[in-house]
Amino acid sequence: MRDGAVKRPRQEEDSGGGLHERRSGSSQRGRKDVEGNGHREPALTSDRGRENDRRQRDNGRGDEGGSFYRRSKRDNSRGRDERCDRDASGGHRERSHNDIRPSIHQGGRGIGRGGRGRGSGTCRGGGRAAQKKNDREEFDLVVSRPQTEEGQAMSKQAVLGNALPVNLQANYFQVARRPKWGVFHYRVDFKPDETDTKIKKMLLRQHIETLPANIFDGSSLYSTTRKMMLYSKQENTDDMVELSIRLVAEVAATDCMYLQLLNILVRKCLEAMGLDEINRNFYDSNQAIKLEAHHLQLWPGYKTSIRNHENSILLGVELTHKVLRLDSCLQVINDIQRRCYDRSRVRNELVGSIVMTVYNRQTYQVDDIKWDSSPTQSFDFQGKQITFMDYFKTKYNINISDPRQPLLVSRPKKKDFHRGTRQPILLIPELCQMTGLSEEMRSNYQLMKSLAVHTQVEPAARVAKLNDFMNRLQTDPKIVEELLRWGLKFRNRLVDLPGRVVPSESIKLGDGKVECPNTKYEWTNAFRDKPMYSSIPLKTWVVIMPGIAAAGVDKLIKTMQHVAAPLKFVISTPVAFHRIGSSHPNEYARAVDDVMNKYKDSIQLLFVILPKIATDTYAAIKKRATLEFGIPSQCFVTGKPQIEKNLSSVCTKLVVQMNAKIGGVPWTVHNPMQKLMVVGFDLYHCGKRKGASVGAMAASTCDSLAKYYSTASYLPNKDALSDKVGVDFAKCLHAYQIINKVLPSRIIMYRDGVGDGQLKYVFETELRAIRETIKSIYKSSAQPEPKFTFIVVTKKINTRLFASQNNGRPINPRPGTVVDDVITLPERYDFYLVSQSSPLGCAAPVSYNVLYDTQGLDPNKLQRFTYKLCHMYFNWSSTITVPAPCQYAHKLAYLTGLSLGAPSSERLANSLHFL
């Protein structure tokens, strides 16, 4: 592993074309948006702002997006021989500190065939704007794959060992043939100026007979010939529009723009299928699924991406769905104001949500509401003053019915500032459709059940839909002709790849007993007659309850004591039952105060009974207990029929959770490494609190990996990367040292919530801060620095894996399935792991990218250790999607950001109070 990072181009959108349009902040980071940006809606912009926008459009069209690099045949054969040698020897040579060679490349040939670095070709033209563009592109790539002393890439594939080999498929199609000739890249300008990308594409399509194979994204034209000037007619007015075409660059097959071009071509094919582009993805509105009972529409669609993978270029295709609410923002405003004329409630409902404009299907995030503005307000459009009402009537033939409605504000984000957009975008509520689900909707069981019928597509149906997609791509005459003109061809079946299923872990319980997970990969039945690994007697605790819940409390307590007995968890009778008159949040807060003022530090746990799920009540309880008094609290919602029906099962899970909160250990797994600290880090972005984010860290403090120190920090803005990670990491090291009287000799950190576009920043900022913290603390303690591994965990990925039954029917892979070849990236030390059982829908693997490593563990050991940690989350007696430290960090960040509003009391730092 190296201390540096290869700088290579990043695929990133920079192809707008209008004055005031942008994509929503909810869109996936790090992915390209080149095709069809749509229309920039009017905003109040100064002359200087318009001039900045104009200059940005004129200058920002140099060398764009994409990247490509290659390896010679000799390199390929040498890589295969090297892998065969290691497999034959039965293992991998450990990577010692001497094997880790610092290296910072500036382009050139990368690791693996078809990588992502610069090739030998050149991208001419573009000047300063092109350089700025390339600087942004280079931001996201960090080469993490270790090299030998000879400069060869070390194998990241684990040996089979005692794992079970398995044949898999993934949702990728191999590029069987790709263009081999050069393509000319042009900048297209319109006179008079046109801002709507759809109109610009219509104007260019008038010359389809005279232009050869070409791709146009609204500003950049890629073609195999040269054209200097074209003239087109506007559809409605017959006004002539001049199209000025200027040569920017020549794109060769090895140029940095090559992959970008292939992605644009695929997006063009999706348009030819009649799909609608929304937020970088394409949806089939003709196949919309209406859920009339819930006033929702569900649009099925596809996410696509062409990328260089381990041995070839692959087209990734994933199914997606867009949830659209049938009510407009104006209807939401009117409904709230009819019930209660409270503008704060309107703000709470709309601010932070994503809306879609009905006239051009662009999405925006609502950042504010301008109550003093209305559609009758004028703005400057092409040098003339025009009202919003007249603009939409002229442009889209839309009549706005309510001239007194307020305007929604969508503020420009960082990428908009890069393009010169400084002014907020103003939207008409009547013309904005709500998207996504509110918290109230998510808590509606029937609604979520109805959605799951369509969104949780099981493997066989998913594979059939993916094959149908490729069949459409290869049989539609227009698309076939377009691909043939470019020389691009895809294989018609999903890519095959090898995988391994690592052995299931044995669960260590009390009295030396061991439980093996069942066929569902869970061990819930162990808690019927086997003791927990260790328990803390619960002797002093208080129950807080409303009067309406008093009747069933005795039965609940007795059931808890009954199921806890075989677990050797002693639960005494509560020292007090504190009744409250109502279930109002303030009543619960006062009750916590009264109990704590009476008993002070003599009680171990507050047990709070709630009649129903209520976010504000839960927050009120947690704030008083967690922030003010630093005592663990357990909330329990009663009154549900399923609780009464399965009371013993519910109580078993409840007592296991309570034991973990007060310091007990329900179970553990074998840990082969001593003096090891495992750290998880995650971020939570507070949607309703503008710009606020919470970073949380959970670090193990014992060799059983079952006890944790946790800390959280508020960040000043809504940034996905924390600059306080070094300070929090130092707290974890000191906590470990206090408990163990020595610092850890090994540290493995799992960083969750990082997009591809943030890797370079994480590497250069977070990782550097952590390494400096380690160096400083270990130096002051006169201890040698520990072996350290930093792994980026990515859950939200588009990769799906499919195993098969004996009859060939696709099924979900078994938990423990690992993939480290074919679909992995050649420049990374990465692997995919399916750790959870998925009885519904399709199992989603998690991507692990080893960004920094001095441990010397071979891939097999690191992969299996990661799987071990997926067994260690005490809220679920089964494997979970990510390692337990990541999930603990996520829970703490979520609780802090959503309910607490401030970091927890330091008294709770060494307990899992947030479970």
Side-chain angles (χ1 to χ4, degrees):
M1 180 63 212
R2 294 169 301 286
D3 293 350
V6 175
K7 291 187 175 181
R8 297 210 183 99
R10 171 191 182 188
Q11 297 182 26
E12 183 177 309
E13 177 236 348
D14 189 22
S15 57
L19 285 177
H20 311 297
E21 173 195 335
R22 65 173 174 79
R23 289 287 183 181
S24 162
S26 70
S27 57
Q28 300 175 26
R29 303 184 198 90
R31 293 194 54 187
K32 229 172 72 59
D33 184 14
V34 181
E35 184 99 55
N37 271 342
H39 172 62
R40 291 181 183 269
E41 289 313 315
L44 303 181
T45 310
S46 66
D47 292 338
R48 177 174 295 181
R50 291 195 303 275
E51 182 61 28
N52 287 338
D53 289 343
R54 193 175 296 112
R55 273 200 296 267
Q56 183 70 19
R57 292 200 317 274
D58 294 339
N59 296 334
R61 299 296 167 200
D63 299 358
E64 290 189 17
S67 57
F68 179 74
Y69 68 89
R70 61 186 181 180
R71 186 171 70 185
S72 66
K73 292 182 179 179
R74 181 178 179 183
D75 290 334
N76 268 332
S77 61
R78 184 159 47 195
R80 286 194 298 269
D81 292 341
E82 183 180 352
R83 185 184 307 173
C84 292
D85 290 343
R86 287 199 178 92
D87 290 346
S89 67
H92 294 262
R93 181 168 59 89
E94 284 200 348
R95 290 178 292 281
S96 65
H97 289 277
N98 293 330
D99 295 327
I100 299 164
R101 304 176 63 247
S103 173
I104 297 181
H105 299 282
Q106 301 293 337
R109 197 169 59 208
I111 300 169
R113 177 178 150 205
R116 293 172 55 201
R118 293 181 185 274
S120 59
T122 59
C123 288
R124 295 175 291 278
R128 183 177 301 174
Q131 182 59 45
K132 290 181 180 179
K133 174 66 181 174
N134 286 332
D135 289 344
R136 292 198 299 275
E137 290 167 349
E138 292 171 355
F139 184 84
D140 90 315
L141 188 70
V142 177
V143 172
S144 59
R145 191 166 182 173
Q147 294 183 355
T148 64
E149 293 182 357
E150 293 77 24
Q152 297 299 310
M154 294 182 69
S155 176
K156 61 185 177 184
Q157 283 78 36
V159 296
L160 184 60
N162 57 355
L164 178 69
V166 60
N167 295 321
L168 303 169
Q169 285 187 317
N171 57 331
Y172 293 88
F173 296 93
Q174 186 175 350
V175 175
R177 186 176 69 240
R178 52 190 173 88
K180 300 185 186 310
W181 62 84
V183 175
F184 296 102
H185 173 204
Y186 297 91
R187 161 75 185 185
V188 182
D189 294 299
F190 294 79
K191 186 177 180 181
D193 190 24
E194 177 55 60
T195 60
D196 194 323
T197 300
K198 292 181 179 179
I199 295 177
K200 290 194 281 187
K201 288 183 177 182
M202 179 274 296
L203 293 172
L204 188 73
R205 275 197 296 268
Q206 296 179 20
H207 305 277
I208 190 68
E209 300 297 331
T210 59
L211 285 174
N214 69 87
I215 296 174
F216 181 56
D217 66 7
S219 296
S220 293
L221 172 69
Y222 303 91
S223 180
T224 56
T225 189
R226 298 175 181 268
K227 286 283 179 181
M228 297 305 296
M229 198 74 68
L230 299 172
Y231 293 90
S232 302
K233 285 185 178 181
Q234 288 279 15
E235 276 188 344
N236 299 330
T237 64
D238 288 335
D239 293 337
M240 297 301 295
V241 179
E242 177 185 299
L243 282 66
S244 177
I245 303 178
R246 172 171 55 86
L247 180 64
V248 175
E250 182 177 349
V251 184
T254 54
D255 277 337
C256 59
M257 210 179 298
Y258 186 78
L259 280 183
Q260 176 181 340
L261 188 59
L262 296 184
N263 274 290
I264 297 174
L265 180 56
V266 170
R267 298 170 76 84
K268 185 176 181 181
C269 293
L270 294 177
E271 279 189 348
M273 287 183 182
L275 304 181
D276 297 303
E277 183 185 12
I278 302 176
N279 242 12
R280 296 172 170 82
N281 301 324
F282 285 81
Y283 298 90
D284 193 344
S285 59
N286 296 322
Q287 299 295 322
I289 303 166
K290 293 185 178 181
L291 304 176
E292 298 288 356
H294 305 289
H295 303 286
L296 295 177
Q297 266 192 354
L298 200 62
W299 288 12
Y302 304 97
K303 300 177 182 179
T304 64
S305 176
I306 290 185
R307 195 169 187 175
N308 289 291
H309 291 264
E310 205 65 50
N311 303 305
S312 59
I313 300 177
L314 301 178
L315 167 65
V317 183
E318 170 57 349
L319 306 182
T320 184
H321 295 84
K322 189 71 175 177
V323 177
L324 299 176
R325 292 155 64 175
L326 299 180
D327 49 346
S328 68
C329 292
L330 181 59
Q331 288 175 302
V332 172
I333 294 173
N334 291 337
D335 288 344
I336 294 175
Q337 292 187 335
R338 271 195 297 268
R339 296 195 302 267
C340 174
Y341 191 81
D342 187 349
R343 290 182 174 181
S344 63
R345 293 194 178 186
V346 177
R347 281 186 54 83
N348 290 337
E349 182 68 24
L350 292 181
V351 172
S353 64
I354 305 300
V355 300
M356 184 182 76
T357 50
V358 297
Y359 41 85
N360 63 358
R361 291 175 178 169
Q362 299 298 303
T363 56
Y364 302 86
Q365 177 174 301
V366 178
D367 296 310
D368 200 358
I369 302 174
K370 291 194 65 146
W371 296 99
D372 57 349
S373 298
S374 71
T376 59
Q377 182 173 320
S378 298
F379 66 95
D380 184 273
F381 181 67
Q382 295 182 350
K384 298 179 180 179
Q385 290 293 310
I386 187 173
T387 65
F388 285 95
M389 298 186 70
D390 291 339
Y391 171 83
F392 283 103
K393 175 62 178 176
T394 304
K395 187 76 173 181
Y396 297 104
N397 197 26
I398 294 177
N399 292 310
I400 296 176
S401 61
D402 185 355
R404 296 180 297 175
Q405 61 187 294
L407 300 184
L408 306 179
V409 179
S410 183
R411 296 191 180 95
K413 299 297 185 283
K414 186 180 296 183
K415 64 180 180 181
D416 301 301
F417 284 113
H418 288 161
R419 291 199 294 255
T421 301
R422 299 290 186 271
Q423 301 301 315
I425 300 163
L426 302 180
L427 305 169
I428 311 297
E430 183 180 336
L431 305 182
C432 294
Q433 192 172 359
M434 300 290 290
T435 69
L437 300 174
S438 65
E439 289 298 326
E440 182 181 354
M441 290 178 171
R442 293 181 187 279
S443 62
N444 185 330
Y445 174 77
Q446 293 299 328
L447 185 153
M448 299 305 293
K449 184 178 179 180
S450 300
L451 284 177
V453 171
H454 304 286
T455 58
Q456 293 183 354
V457 184
E458 55 93 18
R462 187 177 293 264
V463 169
K465 289 177 181 290
L466 293 174
N467 288 330
D468 179 65
F469 168 85
M470 183 52 63
N471 182 61
R472 291 175 66 182
L473 204 65
Q474 295 183 334
T475 57
D476 186 290
K478 293 182 179 179
I479 299 175
V480 170
E481 180 183 359
E482 186 69 21
L483 293 177
L484 187 62
R485 293 168 75 187
W486 286 97
L488 184 62
K489 183 178 180 181
F490 301 100
R491 297 196 186 279
N492 60 2
R493 59 170 284 131
L494 297 177
V495 66
D496 297 302
L497 64 155
R500 303 182 328 282
V501 181
V502 300
S504 180
E505 292 295 324
S506 297
I507 306 302
K508 299 171 67 175
L509 300 167
D511 296 342
K513 295 186 178 181
V514 175
E515 181 79 6
C516 294
N518 59 23
T519 55
K520 296 180 180 179
Y521 295 87
E522 62 181 26
W523 48 94
T524 305
N525 291 339
F527 297 116
R528 292 181 178 178
D529 55 3
K530 293 183 175 69
M532 287 187 276
Y533 189 78
S534 69
S535 300
I536 305 295
L538 182 59
K539 296 181 178 180
T540 55
W541 57 303
V542 174
V543 176
I544 297 175
M545 58 185 178
I548 58 175
V553 170
D554 288 341
K555 182 180 179 181
L556 175 65
I557 300 299
K558 288 180 179 179
T559 305
M560 290 169 58
Q561 292 172 330
H562 174 73
V563 300
L567 308 184
K568 292 190 176 180
F569 178 32
V570 177
I571 300 179
S572 302
T573 302
V575 297
F577 293 88
H578 188 95
R579 296 192 183 190
I580 57 178
S582 72
S583 58
H584 193 275
N586 291 338
E587 286 284 336
Y588 277 100
R590 279 194 294 269
V592 173
D593 289 343
D594 293 341
V595 169
M596 293 308 299
N597 289 332
K598 180 178 181 180
Y599 295 97
K600 300 190 183 298
D601 297 333
S602 63
I603 59 175
Q604 298 168 271
L605 179 82
L606 287 178
F607 190 87
V608 185
I609 296 177
L610 305 175
K612 62 179 180 179
I613 298 174
T615 304
D616 53 350
T617 304
Y618 180 82
I621 296 167
K622 290 296 180 179
K623 282 181 180 179
R624 304 305 297 165
T626 306
L627 298 182
E628 296 296 325
F629 300 105
I631 183 171
S633 57
Q634 178 70 51
C635 293
F636 178 75
V637 181
T638 187
K640 292 184 177 181
Q642 58 267 35
I643 292 179
E644 291 294 328
K645 183 179 179 181
N646 303 297
L647 187 59
S648 294
S649 176
V650 171
C651 286
T652 299
K653 295 178 181 178
L654 193 61
V655 299
V656 170
Q657 186 178 6
M658 290 164 60
N659 183 39
K661 283 188 175 184
I662 63 175
V665 177
W667 67 82
T668 187
V669 295
H670 173 64
N671 174 24
M673 292 179 281
Q674 304 304 307
K675 295 182 180 180
L676 167 70
M677 183 175 78
V678 180
V679 185
F681 181 67
D682 198 7
L683 288 161
Y684 171 76
H685 304 299
C686 312
K688 296 298 183 182
R689 298 177 57 184
K690 178 191 167 188
S693 298
V694 177
M697 190 175 290
S700 64
T701 56
C702 62
D703 287 340
S704 67
L705 307 178
K707 294 191 176 183
Y708 286 83
Y709 172 86
S710 61
T711 182
S713 296
Y714 259 89
L715 309 179
N717 50 57
K718 194 175 180 180
D719 192 347
L721 304 173
S722 171
D723 59 354
K724 296 185 179 179
V725 66
V727 176
D728 288 344
F729 196 86
K731 293 180 182 178
C732 294
L733 286 175
H734 288 309
Y736 186 98
Q737 187 178 33
I738 291 172
I739 293 172
N740 297 280
K741 311 304 180 186
V742 67
L743 290 168
S745 58
R746 290 178 180 267
I747 301 173
I748 298 178
M749 181 170 181
Y750 292 89
R751 168 63 160 96
D752 202 354
V754 179
D756 277 353
Q758 301 165 320
L759 278 178
K760 188 71 177 296
Y761 188 90
V762 170
F763 183 88
E764 293 185 343
T765 304
E766 292 188 29
L767 182 55
R768 178 177 297 175
I770 291 171
R771 292 178 60 198
E772 289 175 352
T773 299
I774 291 174
K775 185 176 181 179
S776 174
I777 291 178
Y778 278 75
K779 183 178 180 180
S780 63
S781 300
Q783 283 189 227
E785 290 188 26
K787 295 180 179 180
F788 178 50
T789 302
F790 187 94
I791 304 174
V792 171
V793 182
T794 309
K795 302 186 296 291
K796 295 180 180 180
I797 59 175
N798 297 325
T799 299
R800 296 294 181 269
L801 300 175
F802 311 104
S804 60
Q805 294 177 323
N806 293 333
N807 59 5
R809 179 181 174 84
I811 59 174
N812 280 323
R814 291 169 51 185
T817 299
V818 176
V819 170
D820 53 18
D821 201 358
V822 181
I823 60 173
T824 50
L825 301 182
E827 75 275 7
R828 292 184 181 180
Y829 177 15
D830 61 341
F831 62 92
Y832 292 94
L833 171 63
V834 177
S835 55
Q836 77 285 3
S837 176
S838 300
L840 298 176
C842 187
V846 173
S847 171
Y848 295 87
N849 179 13
V850 185
L851 204 60
Y852 183 86
D853 179 35
T854 62
Q855 294 280 347
L857 296 176
D858 63 52
N860 187 57
K861 292 177 180 177
L862 190 58
Q863 293 165 6
R864 182 161 183 180
F865 180 76
T866 300
Y867 184 48
K868 282 177 180 286
L869 292 175
C870 296
H871 295 70
M872 291 296 294
Y873 182 59
F874 297 141
N875 251 7
W876 189 249
S877 53
S878 181
T879 52
I880 61 171
T881 306
V882 295
C886 286
Q887 188 64 16
Y888 289 137
H890 169 75
K891 287 281 288 186
L892 178 58
Y894 183 79
L895 174 68
T896 305
L898 188 66
S899 300
L900 300 182
S904 307
S905 169
E906 189 64 24
R907 294 179 58 184
L908 296 173
N910 286 298
S911 68
L912 297 173
H913 66 93
F914 44 81
L915 278 180

